[in-house]
Amino acid sequence: LIIFSLCLGLIFLSGFFHVKEKNYSISKSPEELLIPPTPCHAKTNVMFLKTHKTASSTVLNIMFRFAERYNLTVALPADQLLHLGYPRTFVAHFVEDFKAIGQNYNIMCNHLRFNPSEVQKVMAANTFYFSILRNPIPLLESSYIYYKNNVPAFRRSRDVNEYLASPTRYYHPEDYRQNIYARNIMWFDFGYNNNAEDNTEYTQAVLEEIEQNFHLILIADYFDESMILLKHALCWDLDDVIYFKLNSRSQDTVQTLTPESEERIKVWCSLDWKLYLHFNQSFWRRIEETIGLEVLEKEVDHLRTRQKELMETCLLEQEAVGKDHIKNKALLPFQSGAANILGYNLRQDLDNRTLRTCQRMVMPELQYTSYLYAVQHPHKKRKQLGLPLLWTSLQER
């Protein structure tokens, strides 16, 4: 069923693009077949551009856990910041202790607005760069709910369909700094002008630049497939990319978009739409060229089986629960706008080692950032979250 749906996805995508088919079957000589595959080594210098409302909090948790497993240095936000200067364009001094540590960070994954020359001051020359995109249609609806109270364009409208019926009525250019979530947010996160005029020459140049700056772009709409592709690209183990979905919201806060609204998003967020279509195509091409759909299906099955095992081991309920049902407030995710951000309850009968593993898998982004900051910079003032922390020192974990 999975492989059938993947094939359907590829057929569907081919309708968007009129490109010459590539021949992916590369014949190998008998001599080549005898050569054993070169063993790969896990990449430990990795930069993840964390985009908004794209399942990127789940990816951040994966990155933090990997950093802890291998005792890697994370480029964390300086002082009391919880992001790397966002929405300002990133500069190196937004990273804690950059002057002292220099280009010796291994992992960078907190929110920032991408600026390659400044990121390169922080990350090593052999760093692997990747990011994640999401279909702009559900993304805009998610942004609307999550940022309803913070974005003037959203506050002025009654609901998402009213906003999309006439976005320019609510979206005022002079508020552009506060309105970044209301139009082409992914384009903005990659460092570009989200109000730029959409012309072919400009968009093509940006897409090519992103391809040069990033080794891999994942697709949130195919998250499990993305994790398998990431595992292969980084030469990581399956357990390195196992996850519990974080920062998701309850279904009762989802607003249904009308068909007209969906079409309007493609126009209103046309830069994001082009970005998504382009990298959705390259995502599937990358799978064809590296893993193949058959292996992909098997590995996705393994990932889901392992995830189910861990959920049965770790979780009191076998699913995420609403904010009012989270028993340990140290595991309560940050709540925003009209969204009810879900979290998890852990089983009470876990031994210490299993408990720590499970806690890491469900730890919300702000608490995990604050904890890693306390571990890496023990002499600095702790980040003031206004949220309880699970553990604050090496001894407790």
Side-chain angles (χ1 to χ4, degrees):
L1 184 64
I2 294 169
I3 199 161
F4 175 70
S5 62
L6 291 178
C7 291
L8 269 183
L10 285 166
I11 292 164
F12 170 72
L13 277 173
S14 66
F16 282 122
F17 305 99
H18 306 285
V19 291
K20 192 175 178 183
E21 286 294 318
K22 283 188 180 177
N23 182 6
Y24 294 116
S25 57
I26 301 165
S27 57
K28 292 186 176 181
S29 68
E31 292 80 12
E32 284 179 292
L33 291 170
L34 292 172
I35 301 168
T38 310
C40 63
H41 300 285
K43 290 182 171 62
T44 53
N45 291 332
V46 185
M47 190 276 167
F48 170 57
L49 175 62
K50 188 179 188 297
T51 47
H52 285 80
K53 313 312 299 167
T54 58
S56 62
S57 293
T58 303
V59 180
L60 175 130
N61 179 273
I62 287 168
M63 302 297 291
F64 279 173
R65 283 187 283 121
F66 185 83
E68 282 205 90
R69 179 180 173 184
Y70 291 100
N71 198 25
L72 303 175
T73 306
V74 183
L76 292 166
D79 303 320
Q80 292 301 307
L81 288 176
L82 295 167
H83 45 67
L84 292 163
Y86 195 90
R88 289 174 290 168
T89 301
F90 177 76
V91 288
H93 70 75
F94 291 156
V95 174
E96 187 63 73
D97 270 358
F98 165 67
K99 283 186 177 172
I101 296 173
Q103 209 179 19
N104 292 310
Y105 295 91
N106 304 112
I107 301 289
M108 178 183 253
C109 56
N110 289 82
H111 273 308
L112 60 82
R113 189 175 185 212
F114 193 60
N115 182 4
S117 61
E118 288 292 310
V119 171
Q120 283 158 18
K121 291 179 184 177
V122 177
M123 301 303 291
N126 68 345
T127 295
F128 183 93
Y129 288 77
F130 79 102
S131 189
I132 189 165
L133 300 173
R134 182 185 181 187
N135 186 324
I137 294 170
L139 185 149
L140 191 127
E141 185 276 333
S142 176
S143 291
Y144 187 93
I145 301 300
Y146 196 82
Y147 297 110
K148 175 72 172 166
N149 301 336
N150 306 99
V151 174
F154 293 161
R155 276 203 310 267
R156 293 175 185 131
S157 52
R158 192 176 53 225
D159 58 42
V160 68
N161 290 304
E162 183 180 272
Y163 170 67
L164 288 164
S166 181
T168 52
R169 182 179 163 197
Y170 307 104
Y171 185 98
H172 300 155
E174 64 272 15
D175 296 330
Y176 86 96
R177 272 284 184 206
Q178 297 161 280
N179 275 333
I180 51 175
Y181 304 105
R183 188 183 196 191
N184 294 313
I185 180 59
M186 295 187 293
W187 199 264
F188 183 87
D189 287 349
F190 274 86
Y192 302 100
N193 177 6
N194 60 321
N195 291 306
E197 189 182 334
D198 178 359
N199 70 68
T200 306
E201 192 179 341
Y202 167 68
T203 53
Q204 196 55 42
V206 167
L207 294 175
E208 286 173 13
E209 193 167 78
I210 292 172
E211 282 183 335
Q212 286 167 7
N213 287 331
F214 289 85
H215 298 95
L216 181 64
I217 303 290
L218 303 176
I219 301 294
D221 312 78
Y222 303 98
F223 194 80
D224 288 348
E225 294 81 0
S226 289
M227 291 305 98
I228 298 304
L229 191 55
L230 183 68
K231 177 181 87 75
H232 279 266
L234 296 176
C235 195
W236 287 8
D237 297 332
L238 183 68
D239 268 14
D240 291 328
V241 296
I242 294 289
Y243 67 92
F244 295 160
K245 194 174 181 183
L246 298 180
N247 212 38
S248 60
R249 62 194 162 119
S250 59
Q251 275 300 116
D252 62 349
T253 63
V254 176
Q255 292 184 8
T256 304
L257 291 162
T258 65
E260 293 79 14
S261 289
E262 292 190 357
E263 290 306 310
R264 285 171 185 141
I265 290 171
K266 295 178 190 177
V267 178
W268 176 242
C269 298
S270 64
L271 299 172
D272 270 3
W273 184 243
K274 285 187 174 177
L275 183 68
Y276 175 73
L277 291 183
H278 178 87
F279 285 104
N280 197 352
Q281 187 194 30
S282 68
F283 173 81
W284 291 107
R285 190 166 61 237
R286 179 77 164 261
I287 285 170
E288 284 276 8
E289 290 171 347
T290 57
I291 310 172
L293 288 174
E294 204 172 326
V295 173
L296 177 74
E297 181 192 14
K298 285 177 185 166
E299 294 207 27
V300 164
D301 278 347
H302 290 158
L303 182 140
R304 288 174 179 165
T305 301
R306 180 72 180 121
Q307 183 186 52
K308 191 167 183 290
E309 284 171 8
L310 275 169
M311 290 183 97
E312 287 169 0
T313 299
C314 291
L315 303 181
L316 191 60
E317 303 92 346
Q318 296 303 294
E319 59 183 6
V321 298
K323 60 185 179 187
D324 297 330
H325 298 284
I326 297 167
K327 295 173 181 172
N328 183 346
K329 295 311 171 191
L331 296 177
L332 178 71
F334 176 73
Q335 303 292 319
S336 177
N340 176 2
I341 305 300
L342 306 177
Y344 295 94
N345 289 316
L346 298 178
R347 289 168 58 122
Q348 301 297 301
D349 56 348
L350 302 174
D351 64 78
N352 275 349
R353 188 175 174 184
T354 307
L355 177 63
R356 296 295 174 260
T357 299
C358 296
Q359 285 174 330
R360 282 182 171 81
M361 291 203 65
V362 302
M363 199 185 300
E365 180 179 331
L366 299 186
Q367 287 95 315
Y368 213 153
T369 298
S370 178
Y371 162 68
L372 283 184
Y373 184 87
V375 171
Q376 281 191 193
H377 309 285
H379 305 299
K380 302 271 185 181
K381 184 185 175 186
R382 297 264 169 83
K383 291 189 186 289
Q384 306 302 304
L385 295 185
L387 290 163
L389 298 176
L390 267 178
W391 350 280
T392 54
S393 72
L394 282 162
Q395 287 72 39
E396 293 173 72
R397 63 177 187 164

